[in-house]
């Protein structure tokens, strides 16, 4: 299968720096920000963005958490049993916070829809935003991302792979399949 | 996994998988909204041919916290007391559209019959059958031990090297059997202590050591002491001369409890006979996990229900009249 690189390590790093600036700009600073990563790679990205925001505006640490949406998915009966992961909220909770959901790839939008349900069981955020590294289109819900690393128009037959150092040993976004299929 | 009938069949990975999911379910119990939408629209039937309030409400709480609909079906005062067969009861449940059946039955192997008979398509959870197994009790005990031993680092780990002694009526205890298989699968060493009359005749096929001497076993400083209930309802023979004598020889009384290492945990599946197999000083001490076991029971049962009832259902065939209803259910879900 042909695998073609879309983003290199440097591209990913630049995209995350830009997203961090955009989050700060939209929020006018880092007050009340809470970053929630969606496992697995969304969590890694959330930690990287938080570190970047703290570097740009050193107003103290940005709370980062993990939001597992498995139990809220609408496709649990369509695939084999999924393994849920832990949900960790920062100590302050999410009440009144501006929650930025962070995920690696935005595709059908079903994960994010599930995340909305999960969030509403945890508290009432003042606002919810969405940051993704790659937006590959093919939405099945009226959902869009506020902060996007790269728009990557793709065929539904293709597969977008995000690899991150902390999880996979290197940083890269690749696309595989498509024409060959 | 389609059914949970015995811990003897569980692999180490499967067991750890269920315990890890239970950890996430436990986190839900501490939230303000203690409910997940995961099993919305699924029906879980609690089919109890033996009285057990504790186990039934634990399963009921678990199913409700996953948003499943729960139907309680107890033998007393139902069609079963009028002589209905297990097959007819099962086909009734099938017609009701049960997705999961939690069954407790006085006959060993009844859940197995329900699972393999083809009468129903539902996933079956054994909630205690005769003197065979009670797998969710084994899982909640393993979960409780794992939390006490590994604390925050428990996820993904087994019970390697943990030394457990199980004391009491091993002969009639399905709790002991489920624990023997599960705890040893997870790497623990299990030692059984009982009066000779309450130990099965042949335990050579069990991965355990056995003995009659409680004081000798306690002198080895075990990590876990699990006391079993003396089940009055099963004491039809002369298994020991008197309850006083049982307490003196095999009960966890004050002096024995005080001689334990401070980090040895004391477990009991409940309900306790205070003063018989366990002294109040042991049951109410910080080393006792009795109340934790109850709370963990809900988390572990949520995990088991999730593992069994979510995911693509393997195709199952229904024999007899159930087939038409099953077909209707499939059509309904296809239309959604």
């Amino acid at each position: 299968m042909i695998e073609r690189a879309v983003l290199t390590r440097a591209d990913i790093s630049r995209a995350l720096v830009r997203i961090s600036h955009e989050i700060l700009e939209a929020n006018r600073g880092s007050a009340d920000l809470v970053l929630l990563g969606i496992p697995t790679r969304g969590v890694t990205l959330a930690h990287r963005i938080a570190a970047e925001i703290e570097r740009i505006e050193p107003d103290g640490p940005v709370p980062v958490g993990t939001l597992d949406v498995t139990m809220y998915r609408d496709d649990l009966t369509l695939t084999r049993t999924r393994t849920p992961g832990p949900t960790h909220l920062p100590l302050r909770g999410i009440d009144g916070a501006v929650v930025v959901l962070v995920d690696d790839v935005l595709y059908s939008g079903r994960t994010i829809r599930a995340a909305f349900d999960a969030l509403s069981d945890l508290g009432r955020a003042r606002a919810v935003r969405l940051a993704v590294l790659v937006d590959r289109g093919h939405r099945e819900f009226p959902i869009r991302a506020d902060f996007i690393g790269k728009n990557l128009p793709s065929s539904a037959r293709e597969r977008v792979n995000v690899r991150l150092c902390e999880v996979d040993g290197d940083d890269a976004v690749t696309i595989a399949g498509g024409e060959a299929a | 996994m389609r059914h949970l009938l015995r811990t003897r069949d569980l692999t180490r990975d499967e067991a750890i998988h269920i315990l890890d999911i239970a950890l996430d379910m436990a986190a839900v119990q501490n939230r303000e909204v203690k409910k997940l939408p995961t099993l919305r629209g699924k029906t879980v039937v609690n089919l109890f041919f033996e009285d057990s309030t504790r186990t039934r409400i634990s399963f009921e709480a678990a199913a409700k916290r996953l948003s499943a609909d729960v139907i309680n079906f107890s033998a007393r005062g139902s069609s079963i007391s009028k002589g209905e067969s297990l097959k007819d009861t099962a086909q009734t449940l099938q017609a009701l559209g049960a997705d999961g059946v939690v069954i407790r039955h006085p006959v060993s192997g009844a859940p197995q019959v329900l699972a393999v008979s083809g009468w129903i398509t539902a996933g079956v959870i054994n909630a205690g059958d005769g003197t065979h197994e009670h797998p969710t009790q084994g899982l909640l005990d393993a979960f409780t031990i794992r939390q006490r031993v590994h604390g925050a680092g428990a996820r993904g780990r087994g019970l390697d090297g943990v030394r457990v002694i199980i004391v009491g009526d091993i002969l009639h205890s399905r709790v002991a059997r489920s624990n023997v298989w599960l705890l040893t699968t997870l790497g623990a060493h299990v030692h059984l202590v009982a009066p000779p009359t309450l130990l099965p005749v042949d335990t050579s096929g069990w991965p355990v050591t056995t003995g009659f001497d409680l004081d000798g076993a306690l002198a080895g400083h075990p990590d876990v002491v699990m006391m079993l209930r003396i089940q009055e309802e099963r004491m039809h023979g002369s298994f020991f001369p008197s309850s006083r004598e049982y307490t003196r020889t095999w009960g966890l009384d004050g002096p024995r409890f005080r001689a334990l290492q401070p980090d040895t945990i004391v477990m009991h599946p409940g309900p306790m006979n205070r003063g018989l197999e366990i002294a109040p000083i042991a049951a109410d001490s910080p080393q006792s996990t009795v109340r934790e076991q109850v709370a963990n029971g809900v988390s572990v049962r949520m995990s088991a229900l999730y593992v069994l009832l979510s995911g693509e259902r393997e195709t199952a065939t229904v024999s007899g009249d159930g087939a038409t209803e099953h077909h209707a259910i499939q059509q309904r879900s296809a239309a959604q």
Side-chain angles (χ1 to χ4, degrees), chain B residues 16-55:
Chain B
I16 289 179
H17 185 231
I18 294 175
L19 298 184
D20 284 352
I21 295 176
L23 211 50
D24 300 320
M25 299 301 110
V28 175
Q29 320 290 319
N30 302 323
R31 305 192 324 199
E32 210 163 288
V33 181
K34 295 182 186 56
K35 206 172 172 84
L36 293 167
T38 315
L39 297 183
R40 216 164 33 139
K42 304 260 186 198
T43 303
V44 174
V45 177
N46 285 327
L47 183 58
F48 276 61
F49 294 86
E50 240 180 35
D51 291 333
S52 167
T53 311
R54 302 164 64 98
T55 306

Side-chain angles (χ1 to χ4, degrees), chain B residues 9 22 35 45 48 52 80 148 154 157 177 191 221 225 243 249 267 284 287 298 305 323:
Chain B
D9 293 343
K35 206 172 172 84
V45 177
F48 276 61
S52 167
I80 297 158
R148 282 279 180 126
R157 296 178 70 172
R177 282 168 182 74
H191 180 68
H221 300 310
V225 179
S243 52
T249 320
M267 306 183 76
D284 300 329
Q287 284 162 263
V298 177
L305 285 168

Side-chain angles (χ1 to χ4, degrees), chain B residues 64-138:
Chain B
K64 284 181 170 169
R65 286 183 185 168
L66 288 170
S67 303
D69 295 315
V70 182
I71 298 173
N72 288 313
F73 197 148
S74 70
R76 189 164 298 173
S78 73
S79 48
I80 297 158
S81 64
K82 297 171 192 157
E84 189 180 63
S85 69
L86 184 60
K87 178 175 180 177
D88 289 328
T89 307
Q91 286 177 340
T92 306
L93 302 183
Q94 179 68 25
L96 283 171
D99 298 288
V101 175
V102 176
I103 176 173
R104 164 162 294 196
H105 201 286
V107 178
S108 303
Q112 166 89 16
V113 170
L114 200 58
V116 303
S117 59
W119 298 329
I120 55 169
T121 52
V124 176
I125 296 186
N126 178 3
D129 58 334
T131 58
H132 174 225
E133 280 223 33
H134 188 358
T136 55
Q137 179 74 39

